[in-house]
Amino acid sequence: MGLIDRLFGLVFGSGNVVRETAEVFRENAEKSAQRGADLREAAMAQFGAEFTVARQGRFDRLVDGLNRLPRPALAFGTLGLFVAAMIDPIWFASRMTGIALVPEPLWWLLGAIVSFYFGARHQVKGHAFQRSIAATLAQVPAVIETQAKLAKLSDRTPGSAATGSDASVALSALSPTHNAALEHWRIQRRAP
């Protein structure tokens, strides 16, 4: 019995030769999981330590609040532009044509401020950006012409929907055209 106990103890006991030999070729899964858990715990403790401040004054809280404003303001402002374009397209188009007239140095200044604030690198696609600004500035005459056309289409311009002396346009505006869906609806309403 003693010999068998020693053999089993040698193979499967505290001095497990099979386990130690296998761990040379394959990582111990239990020890690996424990190391991973320890690493995650240490990382979370470090992250938590970054956000614990002994005591913040009013000024520190104000600055922290102001630092959190630009990203949501830019996101909601962009969404607001889409809403404005849907609500009043003429107003939106006139504002966008005005933006096309902004001089190139101001675009560069705005780009530098935004890239510095968000930590981005402004050199990416710099030459393509410069070419597009130059092409935009070359369109100034067309923008001015578009601005004048939009001013004529504005609902604030009296007589913008006037037909003038063309009687056929005036009559076509007064006489309804054939609407198949409306006729179908009327027939179905009369049927029951």
Side-chain angles (χ1 to χ4, degrees), residues 49 53 67 176:
V53 178
N67 280 336

Side-chain angles (χ1 to χ4, degrees), residues 31-158:
K31 288 182 180 178
S32 174
Q34 183 61 44
R35 283 192 300 269
D38 292 342
L39 177 67
R40 286 188 295 277
E41 184 179 343
M44 291 303 286
Q46 181 182 357
F47 290 149
E50 289 179 14
F51 292 105
T52 55
V53 178
R55 198 146 188 229
Q56 280 190 334
R58 288 182 183 171
F59 179 75
D60 291 333
R61 286 183 290 188
L62 175 72
V63 170
D64 285 345
L66 289 175
N67 280 336
R68 292 184 179 122
L69 284 179
R71 287 185 185 107
L74 285 172
F76 287 128
T78 303
L79 292 175
L81 286 174
F82 282 100
V83 171
M86 288 185 282
I87 291 173
D88 193 355
I90 294 172
W91 176 88
F92 180 78
S94 66
R95 292 331 176 260
M96 293 300 111
T97 54
I99 286 178
L101 297 176
V102 174
E104 184 178 354
L106 279 178
W107 284 114
W108 282 106
L109 180 61
L110 176 67
I113 289 170
V114 169
S115 65
F116 177 74
Y117 184 82
F118 290 108
R121 301 200 184 265
H122 188 63
Q123 296 173 353
V124 177
K125 298 183 181 180
H127 296 291
F129 179 71
Q130 195 173 27
R131 281 192 300 270
S132 70
I133 294 298
T136 302
L137 287 176
Q139 295 176 352
V140 169
V143 168
I144 293 172
E145 182 181 338
T146 304
Q147 189 80 23
K149 288 178 182 177
L150 288 172
K152 289 179 184 177
L153 292 175
S154 174
D155 59 348
R156 294 176 202 85
T157 306

Side-chain angles (χ1 to χ4, degrees), residues 183-192:
E183 288 298 320
H184 180 66
W185 177 76
R186 285 180 182 158
I187 291 169
Q188 281 186 338
R189 247 181 114 207
R190 282 187 236 144

Side-chain angles (χ1 to χ4, degrees), residues 4-38:
I4 294 175
D5 282 341
R6 276 193 244 163
L7 279 174
F8 277 120
L10 181 66
V11 175
F12 300 109
S14 61
N16 192 338
V17 175
V18 174
R19 179 176 44 94
E20 290 173 1
T21 305
E23 285 180 359
V24 170
F25 300 106
R26 186 175 183 280
E27 182 181 26
N28 186 330
E30 185 177 342
K31 288 182 180 178
S32 174
Q34 183 61 44
R35 283 192 300 269
D38 292 342

